[in-house]
Amino acid sequence: MSVQNDVLWRDSAMSLAARLASGELSARAVTEADLVRITAADPALCAFLTVAADKAMARAGALDAAFAKTGRPVGPLHGVPVAIKDLTDTAGIRTTYGSELYADHVPAANDVVVERIEAAGGIVIGKTNTPEFGFGAICGNRLAGPTRNPFDPRLTSGGSSGGAAVAVAAGMAPLAHGTDFGGSVRVPASFCGVASIRPTPGLIPAPKRPLGWDTLATHGVIARNTADCAVLLAVMAGMDPDDPTSLPVPLRAGVGEGLGSRLCATADFGAATVSHAVRERFAAAVARLEAEVGPVPRRHPDCGDAMATFRTLRAAQISHAYGPLLDRHGDRLTDTVRWNIEAGSGITAQAYLEAQAARTALYRRFTALFRDIDVLVAPACGVLPWPNEDGEVTAIDGNPTETILDYLGVTAIVTLIGFPVLTLPAGDADGLPFGIQLIARPGEEHRLIGLGRRLERDAGFVHRWPSDPALPD
């Protein structure tokens, strides 16, 4: 690996974009550097299901030619490689959804978020690993994996955007797209020591979603710092007429915002199952916050019925979406996928509507709290990374969990209310990264971006490079 390439794969997305826009770098050089890095690091980590090397280099060449002709970048991501989670369609690039049922599936058209990334000059470098259809705590499937944590390859990267988080954390791409239902962007970001944003539902549209008014799942972004997250989010954001929840308000830049935010913190929302180790790391992270911003009181709304509500709504939605697949191909689905689909059988309309009413009441309890605060801080997962070979989380601190979803309580509760979240690395846990959620009111991504940049600059809540010998320095 050349010295130049070694520098390039470590560079931030915004730095690369500036150097590309000035003509200092070519898109081909940047893309080649990341492809060389993938060749070196991915065999040990399995972050990618498909590496689109030829298409990426051809795209880079076309961007270089366009720049030579006009002297101007195509857009804010001109020449910057972006990894796309393999749940999202990419035209001409294999998209498996993590399932052997789609092992050879190549979409004819891009998802709208991929269209927007490419319109901004981004280069799709490959498709990142995910559990089958995004369901599972271990980022692996019958096609590839498991994706391994770059800080300890024995351990999980987190699901279901684990491939995206590892690609970014280990320098295989400066930016990655992800999706988040119960914590699928936030948990991998926490486990791998990178930043992520799960935005207000509707900020990034999903016009092909069968349940058009559903707001539990959303696209998200992963990068090594807040500013890079913000630029990818801004590129993907914006209204789409086929998504009735999409938001017409453009994302604000957030520079200098969030500095006077009133913060409070909770380790568990009074309802989530959180391990002793996470509680210790979270207390240390809050102490670091307080050293920077002053006292951070502990507060949270009543969330006593939140997990039961989340489980009901999630199960009903998954059963609706994947029930026919279970009927046709049940024997070819993973055990985790079957469990997720079967959990929704027998849910009555009455039970579903009662869960929606409970969700509404929970949302209003959070809005009441946020009349007095601006940002709520919480852990980004209920447990620390565990061995891939252990599979799903069935116990926490030796106590059996009610379901395999319980370790997601601190993220699932935020999913229910639909508030935007920035996750930041907040220190080490026995050599492993540990992340926190910063939660703001709907539409206040700008506040989180401003606060995140301050905490990175002044409090050291930043990505650090893995030092595992499997990854060349």
Side-chain angles (χ1 to χ4, degrees), residues 174-189:
L175 296 173
H177 152 275
T179 61
D180 190 304
F181 195 150
S184 291
V185 161
R186 293 164 284 167
V187 171

Side-chain angles (χ1 to χ4, degrees), residues 99-122:
S99 176
E100 67 177 8
L101 298 176
Y102 292 90
D104 301 314
H105 174 58
V106 179
N110 283 323
D111 186 276
V112 65
V113 298
V114 180
E115 288 181 358
R116 291 179 177 184
I117 288 168
E118 292 193 335

Side-chain angles (χ1 to χ4, degrees), residues 231-247:
V231 70
L232 182 56
L233 178 61
V235 162
M236 294 194 291
M239 188 175 184
D240 187 290
D242 288 331
D243 182 348
T245 71
S246 63
L247 303 173

Side-chain angles (χ1 to χ4, degrees), residues 48-101:
F48 286 88
L49 271 161
T50 301
V51 178
D54 292 342
K55 286 183 69 68
M57 289 302 293
R59 165 79 167 157
L63 288 167
D64 286 339
F67 186 87
K69 184 175 182 179
T70 66
R72 297 189 303 273
V74 167
L77 293 182
H78 179 96
V80 177
V82 183
I84 306 295
K85 186 175 180 179
D86 206 35
L87 296 184
T88 300
D89 285 353
T90 42
I93 302 174
R94 187 176 73 138
T95 301
T96 71
Y97 317 116
S99 176
E100 67 177 8
L101 298 176

Side-chain angles (χ1 to χ4, degrees), residues 112-150:
V112 65
V113 298
V114 180
E115 288 181 358
R116 291 179 177 184
I117 288 168
E118 292 193 335
I123 297 173
V124 175
I125 200 165
K127 305 301 293 293
T128 55
N129 201 17
T130 178
E132 187 172 31
F133 302 116
F135 303 136
I138 302 299
C139 192
N141 51 63
R142 290 173 178 166
L143 299 174
T147 301
R148 301 171 184 89
N149 193 301

